[in-house]
Amino acid sequence: MAARKRSESGTKRQYRGKCIAMYDSIFKGEDLIASNPNFWSELFLIKPSIAHIENEIARLNEESLAQCKQNINLLVSHCIDALNDENAYRIVYSMQTLSAILQSMYRKVNHNDKSLDFVDTAFGHTNIEERMTTLIQYSHLYLTGEYSANLKNMYLRLLLIIATGLDDINQNVLLDYIMSSSIFESLIQLLRDTSSRNQHGYNVVLILTLLVNYRKHESANPFIVKLSILDDELALNGYGQVISSSLSAFCKQFDQLKPDVQVSWLSSLTSMIGNIFVGEEESKSQQIRENNALLLALYEATHLNRNFVTTLAYTQSDTSSPPSPNNTLSTKQALMGVQMSDINTTQPFNLLAIFFQYCSIVIQATRTETIIHNVKLCFLILSCIAEDQYANSLMHDANLSFRVQLHKMPMHHRKQNTTVASSQPLAATLLDLIVEFITSHMMKKFPLELYHQCIGILLRILCYQKRCRVRLSYQWINLWTVLINLLKFLVSHESYLAKKMNIFALATEVVNVLNIFVTYGDMFLLSPNTYDELFYEIIRMKMIFINLHAMGVRYSSNDASEYKESALKLTNALVNMRDILNHFPPKISEWLSKENISTPSEQQIMDIIVQNYDSLTLKLQDNLDQFERYSENPRHSEFFCNLVKSIITTTRTSVDSTPPDVETILRDCCNSP
């Protein structure tokens, strides 16, 4: 037995030695066929030494590169041809070799090796089109054919290596050949089938998302066009389920690890990662960063495809959802096609409900740039949803109610939220999310851009309700209170904030939201009593509006102020608030004096308000119910460019650390009929 083991070990060393010698011949620029006419036939029957290939390419300089370039062209060309071989070993080993070559060369380019012309070195300028066309044809064949899941994963891994090859995706010219191919249809077919989606869904959606972002604003991108007109319900639902599965896993893990007492999300999320050697803030950022890819996928589908809106509200159950690749599993495992189960609650759910819950978690800690960018991406997605007519109709449909447990940041002035969420239309849940963000982010490090986006989402919802006369059952007083408190915060911290940012534009947006309620509230508020409550709150908090107006006047009359114009717009927006405060308080004081009452009840004040509506004159302000429709370019193009670079870096690291299980793939190939 011992002799047999020694024999097997010796054979392996013999094959390895031959493999290394063959590689050395390639990289020394030798005439390969002259010394061995069967060189290429034999090479792909030997298990490749990936480390040796990587080391040889890393050592190439300008002189040695010129010497062996033709051999590298031949190696890549024969790798592609071997993919159509009948021998399983040649197929798998050639794929492994090709992946290693492309990875190593991309790595060399990213390290600023100016001597390397990637296309010419790997393919040759005269051969690139034909070779890439052949490679893509074989990829389509294997991805759509009756082949093992592990072999398909190997092809998807190669596509990921190409898609994430360069830090700047727009410089990756190999993607030009993929753009004009049928790969889009091959990937979509994998999403249509439940089994293949469960195996490959994450990688498929990731590849689609990266390719959609290739030269997005420079030229016509076929993947953008194809995604925007895709109307295959099975494929769109599959796309959505991949995303909802990942976000659901994240939310469930957060629920499970969150202790009963109030603790910060910081400690919870650090435990989730379990890496005591990484700083807490970096740990949290690392966990959130892994969600960026699928959030970008959600953004692209929501932004580009009107048909995807139906998927947002598509009700699923446990059995209809694919496994999650992220969060509870590392990205490393996801790229290997590892499956998961039991990630969802027993209640029916949909992608939109899960996304709202995810948002409620990530907005809790906007202390790092990574998490702020993640929240910004979430708010951009919500903006696209909130300005879509059909999405709004679904969110406001009383027959589509969901119990969504939003998470709230632990705060000193409120008790821990232990109540179970009630079933309500998704629009009400979105308003709750907005209220929670505003409540929990009145801080010294004021996230102004996120506030602008948050108020913009709110404006879109109100415009829909006003336009369609939708009377949503909602506790509007919670929203009014937090909006007025936000104005109070801006006034109270004006001396600090005004030195750093334009708080007047935000204050104007908030006042205009209140103006929509004042001017058009009778068209969409549930009852006249709700409208009365709004006026009661404005009168009750009159000093906030008085101080806000005084602040606006002070800056608008100062010629040296850089915010003079914004402050002037704020004072103009406050005209109705001032009219309300000039009209009702004297009426209330007069009634109190007449009735000899010093402390009136809320109902008594409300009665006075109702009795004096007729004598109130309000100004009908222009364009209150209008908003600028969302456009990615040019305002957010830099943000998405940096986001794609971050996703590429994260994905490339995962691909590098997850070599394919070649033995399993070969076993599958040999056992297949």
Side-chain angles (χ1 to χ4, degrees):
M1 186 68 177
R4 182 181 175 185
K5 286 184 178 179
R6 282 195 297 272
S7 176
E8 290 177 353
S9 176
T11 302
K12 289 182 179 179
R13 282 197 298 270
Q14 180 181 349
Y15 279 123
R16 176 174 173 78
K18 184 174 183 179
C19 176
I20 298 299
M22 296 175 85
Y23 289 152
D24 288 343
S25 298
I26 292 172
F27 291 106
K28 287 177 182 178
E30 297 176 359
D31 187 338
L32 305 175
I33 303 300
S35 58
N36 181 2
N38 298 318
F39 183 92
W40 297 113
S41 178
E42 294 176 1
L43 178 64
F44 298 122
L45 289 176
I46 306 171
K47 183 176 181 180
S49 174
I50 302 303
H52 193 78
I53 294 174
E54 292 174 343
N55 290 335
E56 287 294 332
I57 292 177
R59 283 202 296 261
L60 289 175
N61 55 34
E62 191 169 354
E63 181 180 349
S64 58
L65 187 59
Q67 189 177 6
C68 70
K69 184 178 78 67
Q70 186 175 357
N71 279 354
I72 295 176
N73 287 172
L74 287 171
L75 176 58
V76 170
S77 184
H78 280 282
C79 282
I80 294 173
D81 288 335
L83 297 176
N84 197 35
D85 202 287
E86 294 181 356
N87 187 299
Y89 284 87
R90 284 199 176 101
I91 294 172
V92 174
Y93 288 161
S94 63
M95 171 66 74
Q96 198 178 4
T97 303
L98 180 60
S99 297
I101 294 169
L102 296 181
Q103 266 186 302
S104 301
M105 289 192 175
Y106 274 130
R107 193 178 296 124
K108 199 171 179 66
V109 173
N110 285 322
H111 289 164
N112 296 319
D113 189 330
K114 305 300 182 184
S115 65
L116 184 65
D117 181 336
F118 179 87
V119 171
D120 192 40
T121 304
F123 298 90
H125 285 305
T126 58
N127 301 323
I128 176 66
E129 186 169 355
E130 186 274 331
R131 291 289 76 191
M132 281 299 296
T133 300
T134 304
L135 173 60
I136 291 167
Q137 286 175 348
Y138 293 155
S139 299
H140 174 76
L141 175 69
Y142 281 99
L143 291 176
T144 58
E146 297 295 325
Y147 297 96
S148 72
N150 286 318
L151 187 59
K152 291 185 178 184
N153 257 330
M154 203 170 184
Y155 271 88
L156 290 172
R157 182 175 182 272
L158 176 61
L159 290 176
L160 275 176
I161 288 171
I162 295 174
T164 62
L166 296 181
D167 295 337
D168 185 353
I169 193 170
N170 295 329
Q171 301 298 319
N172 195 345
V173 294
L174 287 194
L175 297 185
D176 280 330
Y177 303 96
I178 296 179
M179 288 289 111
S180 57
S181 72
S182 58
I183 285 294
F184 182 90
E185 289 73 20
S186 306
L187 297 173
I188 291 299
Q189 186 170 325
L190 290 173
L191 291 177
R192 297 184 81 256
D193 178 71
T194 302
S195 176
S196 62
R197 181 176 67 248
N198 288 350
Q199 290 281 352
H200 314 297
Y202 176 79
N203 286 348
V204 167
V205 171
L206 178 54
I207 292 168
L208 285 171
T209 303
L210 289 172
L211 295 179
V212 162
N213 281 276
Y214 176 64
R215 297 185 179 174
K216 198 174 193 179
H217 304 298
E218 297 177 15
S219 59
N221 180 322
F223 272 61
I224 291 179
V225 176
K226 291 178 180 180
L227 181 60
S228 65
I229 63 175
L230 182 66
D231 59 358
D232 186 326
E233 185 177 349
L234 282 176
L236 289 173
N237 284 339
Y239 187 104
Q241 286 180 21
V242 171
I243 299 169
S244 64
S245 175
S246 180
L247 299 185
S248 178
F250 181 91
C251 294
K252 183 174 182 181
Q253 191 175 20
F254 182 83
D255 283 337
Q256 290 174 339
L257 295 180
K258 187 178 181 182
D260 294 333
V261 297
Q262 285 191 358
V263 294
S264 69
W265 179 41
L266 184 61
S267 59
S268 296
L269 207 48
T270 302
S271 300
M272 289 168 71
I273 298 172
N275 186 353
I276 61 173
F277 301 105
V278 181
E280 290 181 336
E281 291 294 345
E282 177 57 31
S283 297
K284 186 164 47 175
S285 299
Q286 176 185 333
Q287 183 73 9
I288 293 300
R289 193 180 292 115
E290 292 184 355
N291 294 316
N292 281 341
L294 290 185
L295 284 177
L296 182 58
L298 176 58
Y299 165 80
E300 297 296 357
T302 304
H303 177 47
L304 296 174
N305 191 304
R306 293 294 304 277
N307 301 311
F308 188 72
V309 173
T310 307
T311 297
L312 291 174
Y314 175 72
T315 304
Q316 308 171 37
S317 61
D318 279 353
T319 56
S320 69
S321 181
S324 168
N326 241 356
N327 302 310
T328 49
L329 287 180
S330 66
T331 311
K332 173 180 177 179
Q333 292 170 303
L335 292 165
M336 294 175 64
V338 180
Q339 296 192 34
M340 271 192 55
S341 60
D342 189 30
I343 63 165
N344 301 308
T345 62
T346 56
Q347 296 292 325
F349 65 98
N350 67 23
L351 174 53
L352 204 49
I354 293 170
F355 179 57
F356 287 169
Q357 187 179 21
Y358 173 84
C359 290
S360 74
I361 295 173
V362 295
I363 65 172
Q364 291 189 33
T366 53
R367 294 181 188 149
T368 68
E369 286 298 314
T370 297
I371 299 179
I372 289 175
H373 291 162
N374 189 268
V375 175
K376 176 178 178 177
L377 179 56
C378 289
F379 281 0
L380 291 178
I381 294 169
L382 291 175
S383 296
C384 294
I385 294 170
E387 69 180 38
D388 185 273
Q389 178 83 3
Y390 185 52
N392 263 308
S393 67
L394 292 173
M395 288 195 297
H396 287 84
D397 190 340
N399 296 317
L400 286 176
S401 295
F402 292 88
R403 183 177 287 110
V404 184
Q405 192 69 45
L406 297 181
H407 298 274
K408 296 187 176 182
M409 182 185 294
M411 301 177 76
H412 293 300
H413 64 275
R414 67 179 179 187
K415 295 180 180 179
Q416 184 184 5
N417 181 31
T418 57
T419 58
V420 178
S422 58
S423 183
Q424 61 182 3
L426 289 171
T429 303
L430 179 52
L431 289 171
D432 286 342
L433 181 64
I434 290 171
V435 168
E436 175 57 26
F437 175 81
I438 296 173
T439 301
S440 58
H441 287 78
M442 297 183 213
M443 56 182 67
K444 191 173 183 180
K445 191 177 179 181
F446 193 73
L448 182 66
E449 184 182 11
L450 296 182
Y451 265 107
H452 279 300
Q453 291 175 327
C454 182
I455 300 301
I457 296 165
L458 175 59
L459 175 62
R460 286 160 171 77
I461 297 171
L462 296 179
C463 288
Y464 169 80
Q465 292 178 1
K466 181 257 179 183
R467 182 173 63 251
C468 299
R469 296 178 181 268
V470 176
R471 299 185 184 276
L472 179 69
S473 178
Y474 187 70
Q475 293 294 321
W476 291 106
I477 191 170
N478 294 335
L479 177 64
W480 299 330
T481 301
V482 76
L483 288 174
I484 296 173
N485 282 336
L486 174 57
L487 295 175
K488 179 182 179 181
F489 176 84
L490 295 178
V491 172
S492 301
H493 297 80
E494 163 253 324
S495 59
Y496 172 77
L497 294 175
K499 294 176 182 178
K500 296 178 174 293
M501 61 192 73
N502 184 357
I503 59 174
F504 302 95
L506 177 62
T508 303
E509 291 174 5
V510 174
V511 171
N512 281 337
V513 166
L514 293 173
N515 277 326
I516 290 177
F517 284 102
V518 169
T519 310
Y520 304 112
D522 59 328
M523 300 172 65
F524 61 87
L525 292 177
L526 196 60
S527 67
N529 186 61
T530 309
Y531 190 67
D532 302 339
E533 289 176 350
L534 169 62
F535 279 76
Y536 177 83
E537 288 301 310
I538 293 173
I539 295 167
R540 187 174 71 86
M541 300 187 178
K542 64 180 181 180
M543 288 308 302
I544 295 174
F545 294 99
I546 292 172
N547 293 335
L548 182 65
H549 181 261
M551 182 181 78
V553 170
R554 191 166 66 253
Y555 279 81
S556 63
S557 58
N558 182 0
D559 292 335
S561 172
E562 61 178 311
Y563 303 129
K564 178 179 179 178
E565 293 300 321
S566 295
L568 183 60
K569 290 180 181 179
L570 173 60
T571 57
N572 292 335
L574 283 166
V575 61
N576 281 338
M577 300 300 161
R578 297 186 67 215
D579 288 342
I580 291 171
L581 297 178
N582 288 333
H583 179 73
F584 287 106
K587 303 289 185 184
I588 295 170
S589 298
E590 181 183 341
W591 184 86
L592 292 177
S593 177
K594 179 181 177 181
E595 299 295 327
N596 198 24
I597 297 175
S598 59
T599 309
S601 66
E602 179 178 331
Q603 186 57 51
Q604 288 173 324
I605 299 295
M606 298 271 274
D607 290 340
I608 300 170
I609 291 172
V610 173
Q611 293 166 11
N612 289 277
Y613 274 140
D614 291 343
S615 55
L616 173 65
T617 302
L618 294 176
K619 180 181 179 182
L620 188 61
Q621 295 175 307
D622 296 332
N623 301 323
L624 282 180
D625 57 343
Q626 302 294 319
F627 57 85
E628 182 182 354
R629 290 194 66 83
Y630 173 75
S631 176
E632 177 183 320
N633 190 34
R635 185 175 178 183
H636 301 291
S637 54
E638 183 179 356
F639 167 76
F640 282 103
C641 181
N642 292 331
L643 181 66
V644 171
K645 285 182 180 179
S646 172
I647 292 171
I648 284 174
T649 303
T650 302
T651 305
R652 186 194 299 143
T653 301
S654 301
V655 171
D656 288 349
S657 61
T658 53
D661 186 350
V662 175
E663 300 302 325
T664 301
I665 297 171
L666 286 170
R667 190 162 53 247
D668 290 344
C669 292
C670 293
N671 292 336
S672 61

